[in-house]
Amino acid sequence: MKVLVPVKRVIDYNVKARVKADGSGVDLANVKMSMNPFDEISVEQAVRMKEAGVITEVIIASIGPAAAQETIRTALAMGGDRGVLVKTDQTVEPLAVAKILKEIATKEGAEIVILGKQAIDDDSNQTGQMLAALLGWSQATFASEVKLDGGKAEVTREVDGGLQTIKVNLPTVITVDLRLNEPRYASLPNIMKARKKPIEEKTPEDFGVDITPRLKVLKTTEPPTRSAGVKVESVQELVAKLRNEAGVI
């Protein structure tokens, strides 16, 4: 059984994003980039499944510029078997990503796609759901626990009211949440081995997918600076400030 794990190259979560001077978007020049943290968790889950003997091959896929190859290498060093890089310098929206991943999953004969529930750059939380719909597969989102049993997957989901456990038929698309596992650090020997693992390069055109953006960014701005808090002497004063100054009640 093969598992496809999409990974995304994003601004490192420790770096404060800066807006371009013209407000056209986020400045990516000379900024540290790394793998989306949710995708690290999905890679770890796929590798653990392979170590448990329920998965035979872990295929890593990424869509982005040539530098995204480094992100794939990181996933390969964690335990992935081979990679697919769909090279493009354009911004690719979730629907186009899902269409490309559908073609890769079909071509590779994958029975499971595991990916992060969202990327920390756009926070769309759409790709997994769109991919499941395009493939006609079952889906289990926000997974905090995954168990494979024959032709089914038992997934514990994090929902607003607590936890929900569902059982879905394979093939399936699973999106992972933070508490699923703790991703491993790639050891130096595995980093060296990852350099020799194959990465196939493709373009969106190879899959017949139009990645022309359907959304137009009108303006990007920094969030407003928060003003300093104040101490109040009583509950009545607090309520008055919330009503008259903050306007929240």
Side-chain angles (χ1 to χ4, degrees), residues 79-207:
D81 294 298
R82 56 188 174 90
V84 178
L85 172 61
V86 182
K87 192 184 295 184
T88 177
D89 291 324
Q90 287 184 244
T91 298
V92 187
E93 295 175 351
L95 180 58
V97 172
K99 288 179 178 179
I100 293 172
L101 293 177
K102 176 200 172 203
E103 298 300 324
I104 296 175
T106 302
K107 174 179 177 293
E108 296 292 348
E111 292 187 54
I112 303 176
V113 179
I114 303 179
L115 66 162
K117 70 172 185 178
Q118 64 195 74
I120 63 172
D121 53 0
D122 57 20
D123 276 335
S124 291
N125 182 17
Q126 296 175 337
T127 303
Q129 294 89 328
M130 289 177 170
L131 176 59
L134 291 171
L135 286 167
W137 292 4
S138 62
Q139 62 175 298
T141 55
F142 317 136
S144 61
E145 186 177 359
V146 178
K147 297 178 183 177
L148 293 185
D149 182 15
K152 296 181 181 295
E154 184 177 297
V155 179
T156 300
R157 304 178 61 239
E158 297 197 0
V159 296
D160 290 342
L163 299 177
Q164 177 190 54
T165 301
I166 61 174
K167 185 171 283 188
V168 296
N169 294 321
L170 300 183
T172 190
V173 176
I174 299 172
T175 72
V176 306
D177 218 320
L178 283 174
R179 282 153 288 277
L180 178 59
N181 58 51
E182 183 71 29
R184 70 191 67 188
Y185 288 101
S187 65
L188 182 58
N190 286 337
I191 292 173
M192 300 303 291
K193 291 177 184 177
R195 293 181 180 178
K196 298 180 181 179
K197 293 181 179 180
I199 296 179
E200 182 181 6
E201 289 193 3
K202 294 284 189 179
T203 65
E205 291 74 22
D206 293 332
F207 298 106

Side-chain angles (χ1 to χ4, degrees), residues 40-94:
E40 291 181 347
I41 295 169
S42 60
V43 172
E44 175 66 25
Q45 184 62 31
V47 172
R48 290 187 186 187
M49 287 178 172
K50 183 183 176 185
E51 292 171 345
V54 295
I55 294 295
T56 57
E57 187 177 29
V58 178
I59 304 165
I60 308 298
S62 189
I63 303 167
Q69 187 172 131
E70 300 172 11
T71 307
I72 295 177
R73 292 288 179 199
T74 300
L76 295 177
M78 291 173 66
D81 294 298
R82 56 188 174 90
V84 178
L85 172 61
V86 182
K87 192 184 295 184
T88 177
D89 291 324
Q90 287 184 244
T91 298
V92 187
E93 295 175 351

